[in-house]
Short mmCIF file of all heavy atoms in Angstrom, two decimals:
data_model
loop_
_atom_site.label_atom_id
_atom_site.label_comp_id
_atom_site.label_asym_id
_atom_site.label_seq_id
_atom_site.Cartn_x
_atom_site.Cartn_y
_atom_site.Cartn_z
N TRP A 3 55.88 -30.91 -14.48
CA TRP A 3 57.15 -31.67 -14.41
C TRP A 3 57.72 -31.63 -13.00
O TRP A 3 58.64 -32.35 -12.70
CB TRP A 3 58.14 -31.24 -15.43
CG TRP A 3 58.51 -29.78 -15.35
CD1 TRP A 3 59.37 -29.20 -14.47
CD2 TRP A 3 58.02 -28.75 -16.16
NE1 TRP A 3 59.43 -27.87 -14.70
CE2 TRP A 3 58.64 -27.56 -15.72
CE3 TRP A 3 57.14 -28.70 -17.22
CZ2 TRP A 3 58.36 -26.32 -16.34
CZ3 TRP A 3 56.88 -27.47 -17.79
CH2 TRP A 3 57.51 -26.31 -17.36
N TRP A 9 57.37 -38.32 -11.02
CA TRP A 9 58.69 -38.85 -11.29
C TRP A 9 58.82 -40.23 -10.64
O TRP A 9 59.41 -41.15 -11.20
CB TRP A 9 59.76 -37.89 -10.74
CG TRP A 9 59.94 -36.68 -11.58
CD1 TRP A 9 59.32 -35.50 -11.48
CD2 TRP A 9 60.85 -36.57 -12.68
NE1 TRP A 9 59.76 -34.63 -12.41
CE2 TRP A 9 60.73 -35.23 -13.17
CE3 TRP A 9 61.78 -37.43 -13.28
CZ2 TRP A 9 61.46 -34.79 -14.26
CZ3 TRP A 9 62.53 -36.94 -14.38
CH2 TRP A 9 62.33 -35.64 -14.85
N THR A 38 65.20 -38.24 -8.81
CA THR A 38 64.73 -36.88 -9.18
C THR A 38 63.45 -36.56 -8.42
O THR A 38 63.28 -35.49 -7.86
CB THR A 38 64.54 -36.77 -10.67
OG1 THR A 38 65.77 -37.08 -11.34
CG2 THR A 38 64.12 -35.38 -11.07
N LEU A 41 64.28 -35.81 -4.79
CA LEU A 41 64.87 -34.50 -4.62
C LEU A 41 63.77 -33.42 -4.66
O LEU A 41 63.84 -32.46 -3.87
CB LEU A 41 65.94 -34.22 -5.68
CG LEU A 41 67.25 -35.02 -5.51
CD1 LEU A 41 68.14 -34.75 -6.69
CD2 LEU A 41 67.91 -34.67 -4.22
N ILE A 42 62.81 -33.56 -5.53
CA ILE A 42 61.71 -32.62 -5.57
C ILE A 42 60.91 -32.69 -4.27
O ILE A 42 60.51 -31.69 -3.72
CB ILE A 42 60.79 -32.89 -6.80
CG1 ILE A 42 61.57 -32.63 -8.10
CG2 ILE A 42 59.55 -32.01 -6.77
CD1 ILE A 42 60.86 -33.10 -9.32
N LEU A 46 63.60 -29.47 -3.60
CA LEU A 46 64.31 -28.89 -4.75
C LEU A 46 63.28 -28.20 -5.64
O LEU A 46 62.34 -28.77 -6.16
CB LEU A 46 65.03 -29.98 -5.54
CG LEU A 46 65.77 -29.50 -6.81
CD1 LEU A 46 66.96 -28.64 -6.45
CD2 LEU A 46 66.19 -30.70 -7.64
N GLU A 47 63.52 -26.92 -5.81
CA GLU A 47 62.65 -26.11 -6.71
C GLU A 47 63.44 -25.79 -7.93
O GLU A 47 64.30 -24.90 -7.92
CB GLU A 47 62.16 -24.86 -6.00
CG GLU A 47 61.26 -25.13 -4.84
CD GLU A 47 60.77 -23.87 -4.18
OE1 GLU A 47 60.87 -22.81 -4.80
OE2 GLU A 47 60.29 -23.95 -3.06
N ALA A 48 63.20 -26.53 -9.02
CA ALA A 48 63.98 -26.35 -10.24
C ALA A 48 63.05 -26.46 -11.43
O ALA A 48 61.97 -27.01 -11.37
CB ALA A 48 65.06 -27.42 -10.31
N GLY A 49 63.51 -25.91 -12.52
CA GLY A 49 62.77 -26.02 -13.78
C GLY A 49 63.05 -27.32 -14.50
O GLY A 49 63.87 -28.13 -14.04
N LEU A 50 62.36 -27.54 -15.56
CA LEU A 50 62.49 -28.79 -16.28
C LEU A 50 63.94 -29.04 -16.83
O LEU A 50 64.41 -30.17 -16.71
CB LEU A 50 61.52 -28.77 -17.49
CG LEU A 50 61.50 -30.06 -18.32
CD1 LEU A 50 61.16 -31.26 -17.48
CD2 LEU A 50 60.55 -29.93 -19.49
N PRO A 51 64.66 -28.03 -17.32
CA PRO A 51 66.01 -28.34 -17.78
C PRO A 51 66.92 -28.89 -16.69
O PRO A 51 67.64 -29.86 -16.94
CB PRO A 51 66.52 -26.99 -18.31
CG PRO A 51 65.28 -26.25 -18.67
CD PRO A 51 64.27 -26.67 -17.69
N LEU A 52 66.88 -28.29 -15.53
CA LEU A 52 67.69 -28.79 -14.41
C LEU A 52 67.27 -30.18 -13.98
O LEU A 52 68.10 -31.02 -13.68
CB LEU A 52 67.69 -27.82 -13.23
CG LEU A 52 68.55 -28.22 -12.05
CD1 LEU A 52 70.02 -28.35 -12.44
CD2 LEU A 52 68.42 -27.22 -10.91
N LEU A 53 65.98 -30.42 -13.93
CA LEU A 53 65.50 -31.76 -13.57
C LEU A 53 65.94 -32.80 -14.54
O LEU A 53 66.31 -33.92 -14.17
CB LEU A 53 63.96 -31.74 -13.44
CG LEU A 53 63.39 -30.92 -12.32
CD1 LEU A 53 61.88 -30.93 -12.37
CD2 LEU A 53 63.86 -31.39 -10.95
N LEU A 54 65.93 -32.47 -15.83
CA LEU A 54 66.39 -33.41 -16.83
C LEU A 54 67.89 -33.68 -16.71
O LEU A 54 68.35 -34.80 -16.94
CB LEU A 54 66.00 -32.94 -18.23
CG LEU A 54 64.54 -32.96 -18.56
CD1 LEU A 54 64.29 -32.36 -19.93
CD2 LEU A 54 63.96 -34.34 -18.47
N VAL A 55 68.66 -32.64 -16.37
CA VAL A 55 70.11 -32.85 -16.19
C VAL A 55 70.36 -33.76 -14.97
O VAL A 55 71.18 -34.69 -15.04
CB VAL A 55 70.81 -31.48 -16.02
CG1 VAL A 55 72.23 -31.67 -15.49
CG2 VAL A 55 70.80 -30.74 -17.31
N ILE A 56 69.64 -33.54 -13.88
CA ILE A 56 69.74 -34.42 -12.70
C ILE A 56 69.40 -35.83 -13.07
O ILE A 56 70.09 -36.77 -12.73
CB ILE A 56 68.92 -33.87 -11.55
CG1 ILE A 56 69.48 -32.55 -11.05
CG2 ILE A 56 68.80 -34.89 -10.45
CD1 ILE A 56 68.53 -31.81 -10.07
N PHE A 57 68.27 -36.00 -13.78
CA PHE A 57 67.83 -37.32 -14.21
C PHE A 57 68.92 -38.02 -15.03
O PHE A 57 69.25 -39.18 -14.80
CB PHE A 57 66.54 -37.18 -14.99
CG PHE A 57 66.10 -38.44 -15.69
CD1 PHE A 57 65.53 -39.50 -14.96
CD2 PHE A 57 66.21 -38.57 -17.07
CE1 PHE A 57 65.15 -40.66 -15.57
CE2 PHE A 57 65.82 -39.72 -17.69
CZ PHE A 57 65.25 -40.73 -16.96
N ALA A 58 69.49 -37.31 -16.01
CA ALA A 58 70.51 -37.89 -16.87
C ALA A 58 71.78 -38.25 -16.08
O ALA A 58 72.36 -39.32 -16.33
CB ALA A 58 70.83 -36.93 -17.99
N LEU A 59 72.20 -37.38 -15.19
CA LEU A 59 73.42 -37.66 -14.44
C LEU A 59 73.27 -38.87 -13.50
O LEU A 59 74.16 -39.68 -13.35
CB LEU A 59 73.87 -36.41 -13.65
CG LEU A 59 74.38 -35.26 -14.49
CD1 LEU A 59 74.68 -34.05 -13.61
CD2 LEU A 59 75.63 -35.69 -15.24
#
Side-chain angles (χ1 to χ4, degrees):
W3 58 79
W9 285 92
T38 304
L41 289 174
I42 294 169
L46 177 68
E47 295 181 16
L50 182 60
L52 181 59
L53 293 176
L54 291 176
V55 167
I56 292 170
F57 171 74
L59 290 176

